[in-house]
Amino acid sequence: MAFVSWSCNDQCTETRISRRLTPISRPLAEIRSSVRAEAAHSLKKPGKMYVKGNYLFINEIKEGIHIIDNSNPAAPNFISFINIPGNGDIAVKGNILYADSFSDLIALDISDVNAPKEVGRVNNVFQTGQFDGVWWTMTAPNAGIQDNAITDYKVEYVTETISTNCEENIMYPIFNSATAMSFSDMASFGGKSASSSSNSGGTSGKAGSMARFALHDNFLYTVSQSSLHLFNISKPSTPSNFSTINLGWNIETIFPYKNRLFIGSSTGMFIYDNSNPSAPQQLSVFQHGNACDPVVVHDDIAYVTLRTGTACAGTQNQMDLVDVSDASSPQLIRSYQMQNPHGLSIDFPTLYLCEGEFGLKIFNAEDKMDIESKLLAHFKDMDAYDVISLGKTVLVIGKDGFYQYDASDVKNLRLLSKIPVSK
């Protein structure tokens, strides 16, 4: 971003904020040996959240997972931290927690939440990924590194004032890196109103709408930028790489609902028949303009948000309602303009929608043709990235921390607790 001042002699100064990317190469052997349980950490850069029973699992972007005892939502208690380099997503089935660690999928036994331990790993299943809007890649051995390595980037924002010609076009972002990315693509948060298994015997937890991990039957589904990966978890502690389905490009989220998988991408929503969990079959694609789009579903309606200000290069800020009663031919019901919609959750008829820096909105979605006039509440003094409704309790996460609300009266949510970001 550039800010300008000038004088009568046509000499201007600009204050520019540039994003500098410093490449960092780490041997995979070093990364793999770094997974370990540690004492509780403070929350600094919260990512995705996952809830199972009385426990919360909050991702610290690219660093690991906080385990929190939430048996008393008014006083959540940090128990431990699992150091996992390159972690962005979470899923839990029984006493096994699944997490990504750059290129690998790992399984951790959390029977003792004070001392989680790695029990399984599938190596080299994810070849690329994205944090802070910047790609990391897995590279082959070279002269200086005897093992496969991860090339990642340290992201820094630098402010500097420079002199310019006043006639220059100044309103543009500046890049001082090998990879040019939009300045507005700030740190990304990258695991029924939440992604969950519909046939897991109550042993799995719930994720938010931004999840890239989903559980169903004896399978863990993960989406990378271009593929759907199936992992066989019939033996939970020893996941195995089962199959890979190519989806295209810019795949973002996955939401399982009944016998369907709803997969969000930057250009549309994929619907897969999951009647046979070992072999999902594509039924259709609902296309839209370029935009990031998490999806949640209730009955025959999919709720899809599209937003600008991301690497998806979107131009729309809206929520689409899509009729998926015929999953082979989804039809747009209506689009509603929003400010900058992110994650969402449906506890019908209550719809919770995150608006990023503009807070959290709550709608009555009973009349699908008239949702915008049924705004029940708008909580503005918060940053809302994703939300999970648990009936009488609502969980919200954003750049400034983690919130829990009593939702007995959805028009007047009552704050139970907040875990602020530590500076």
Side-chain angles (χ1 to χ4, degrees):
M1 300 180 73
F3 308 91
V4 66
S5 62
W6 60 86
S7 62
C8 59
N9 61 2
D10 290 336
Q11 289 300 307
C12 300
T13 60
E14 293 178 11
T15 299
R16 294 180 175 180
I17 303 175
S18 60
R19 184 167 67 170
R20 293 180 178 174
L21 308 182
T22 304
I24 300 172
S25 185
R26 296 180 62 185
L28 272 172
E30 172 193 311
I31 291 171
R32 289 167 178 159
S33 65
S34 300
V35 176
R36 60 182 177 272
E38 299 178 348
H41 289 202
S42 58
L43 195 63
K44 294 183 178 179
K45 195 175 181 183
K48 297 173 185 176
M49 58 181 170
Y50 195 92
V51 58
K52 183 177 185 297
N54 288 328
Y55 292 100
L56 297 173
F57 303 87
I58 298 180
N59 158 244
E60 187 77 28
I61 297 176
K62 206 161 59 173
E63 300 296 333
I65 298 171
H66 301 273
I67 300 181
I68 300 169
D69 181 350
N70 197 44
S71 52
N72 179 6
N77 178 41
F78 282 80
I79 297 175
S80 60
F81 181 79
I82 312 174
N83 186 74
I84 307 175
N87 173 249
D89 277 271
I90 311 161
V92 181
K93 183 174 183 179
N95 291 320
I96 302 298
L97 182 151
Y98 301 99
D100 56 333
S101 177
F102 284 121
S103 61
D104 299 351
L105 174 75
I106 60 176
L108 299 113
D109 186 335
I110 56 171
S111 300
D112 181 356
V113 291
N114 293 286
K117 59 182 179 180
E118 181 179 334
V119 291
R121 180 183 289 263
V122 184
N123 291 340
N124 304 334
V125 287
F126 311 121
Q127 301 298 309
T128 61
Q130 191 180 72
F131 291 109
D132 297 310
V134 180
W135 294 94
W136 64 261
T137 57
M138 187 172 73
T139 57
N142 56 43
I145 300 175
Q146 301 304 313
D147 191 5
N148 284 353
I150 295 297
T151 298
D152 192 20
Y153 292 87
K154 178 181 179 181
V155 181
E156 297 176 289
Y157 293 92
V158 180
T159 301
E160 52 190 353
T161 301
I162 63 174
S163 297
T164 66
N165 184 321
C166 293
E167 295 180 357
E168 291 179 359
N169 179 8
I170 60 165
M171 295 309 293
Y172 54 85
I174 308 300
F175 309 109
N176 292 320
S177 67
T179 306
M181 303 293 294
S182 166
F183 175 82
S184 60
D185 181 25
M186 301 295 283
S188 62
F189 285 77
K192 297 191 181 182
S193 52
S195 175
S196 63
S197 169
S198 60
N199 186 28
S200 60
T203 62
S204 61
K206 293 185 178 181
S209 62
M210 296 293 193
R212 285 180 173 268
F213 280 20
L215 293 163
H216 181 76
D217 199 62
N218 287 322
F219 289 90
L220 167 68
Y221 304 103
T222 73
V223 290
S224 63
Q225 296 297 320
S226 60
S227 302
L228 170 64
H229 297 266
L230 278 68
F231 296 91
N232 188 324
I233 56 171
S234 55
K235 297 180 179 178
S237 62
T238 55
S240 60
N241 195 7
F242 185 79
S243 65
T244 301
I245 300 172
N246 182 48
L247 298 175
W249 193 244
N250 283 341
I251 304 303
E252 296 159 349
T253 60
I254 181 169
F255 186 91
Y257 186 75
K258 297 182 179 178
N259 63 342
R260 301 279 189 265
L261 296 176
F262 294 84
I263 298 172
S265 79
S266 65
T267 57
M269 174 182 66
F270 294 81
I271 304 177
Y272 274 74
D273 182 353
N274 201 36
S275 301
N276 178 1
S278 66
Q281 299 294 316
Q282 183 176 319
L283 295 174
S284 60
V285 180
F286 173 76
Q287 294 185 322
H288 54 62
N290 284 353
C292 295
D293 70 335
V295 180
V296 297
V297 183
H298 175 76
D299 286 343
D300 293 331
I301 299 179
Y303 302 80
V304 184
T305 60
L306 315 176
R307 73 182 186 279
T308 61
T310 71
C312 301
T315 58
Q316 302 155 296
N317 284 297
Q318 66 190 50
M319 176 180 66
D320 287 347
L321 267 63
V322 182
D323 185 341
V324 293
S325 55
D326 180 358
S328 62
S329 181
Q331 301 293 321
L332 177 67
I333 297 173
R334 185 171 178 183
S335 295
Y336 292 93
Q337 295 305 303
M338 298 293 167
Q339 290 172 281
N340 193 227
H342 288 60
L344 66 170
S345 183
I346 180 74
D347 183 14
F348 196 81
T350 305
L351 173 67
Y352 299 90
L353 187 142
C354 297
E355 286 272 33
E357 65 179 317
F358 300 104
L360 176 71
K361 290 179 178 177
I362 306 174
F363 296 91
N364 183 323
E366 195 163 12
D367 183 353
K368 58 182 178 290
M369 300 304 295
D370 187 27
I371 291 179
E372 60 187 350
S373 69
K374 300 298 191 299
L375 178 65
L376 302 177
H378 184 185
F379 297 88
K380 300 179 181 180
D381 297 330
M382 64 187 306
D383 183 283
Y385 169 75
D386 206 1
V387 56
I388 298 175
S389 171
L390 300 174
K392 296 299 183 182
T393 306
V394 174
L395 315 180
V396 183
I397 200 160
K399 293 178 182 177
D400 56 357
F402 171 80
Y403 300 79
Q404 291 190 88
Y405 292 95
D406 180 338
S408 300
D409 180 358
V410 294
K411 293 182 180 180
N412 297 285
L413 293 187
R414 180 172 63 87
L415 182 65
L416 295 172
S417 60
K418 177 184 177 181
I419 302 175
V421 168
S422 176
K423 301 299 183 181

